[in-house]
Amino acid sequence: QVQLVESGGGLVQAGDSLRLSCAASERTFGIYAMAWFRQAPGKEREFVAAISWKGGNLYYADSVKGRFAISRDDAKNTVDLQMNSLKPEDTAVYYCAANKGPVWMKDYEYAYWGQGTQVTVSS
């Protein structure tokens, strides 16, 4: 099964930008829908963004729409999440997920997950 590894997390100030990357162990383009979820302490895991298996369709949670952008790089088998205008409420562990098939916005629809990367946004 595909292995996913997230990177790019860190500590930033409100208003700053950060770019997360999810590296897959095998080809994902044309096979997997990819998504980002996040989970803050004491909160349920929530959907952030997703991209269809060929990159033609993008989906975002209302809370990040206009600030975040998801993309995929076929040559590197990576999926990135560009995060702009970060807010303290964006603080969470961000997880990359993959699914063979269509895009879904529920975590239980994704079979493959990375270990997560911490994003902390200070005031």
Side-chain angles (χ1 to χ4, degrees), residues 38-107:
R38 67 187 182 186
Q39 186 169 28
K43 301 293 183 65
E44 294 183 352
R45 185 163 51 192
E46 66 174 341
F47 171 79
V48 176
I51 186 167
S52 60
W53 63 355
K54 293 184 178 180
N57 297 300
L58 311 177
Y59 305 87
Y60 300 96
D62 289 341
S63 60
V64 306
K65 191 173 298 182
R67 299 189 298 120
F68 291 10
I70 188 171
S71 62
R72 57 197 309 164
D73 187 325
D74 300 337
K76 298 189 296 184
N77 287 324
T78 58
V79 177
D80 291 353
L81 183 68
Q82 177 65 46
M83 304 184 292
N84 300 321
S85 301
L86 284 164
K87 305 174 181 179
E89 49 263 47
D90 293 319
T91 295
V93 175
Y94 284 70
Y95 297 92
C96 177
N99 174 63
K100 284 188 176 180
V103 168
W104 298 99
M105 300 180 195
K106 299 294 184 181
D107 54 3

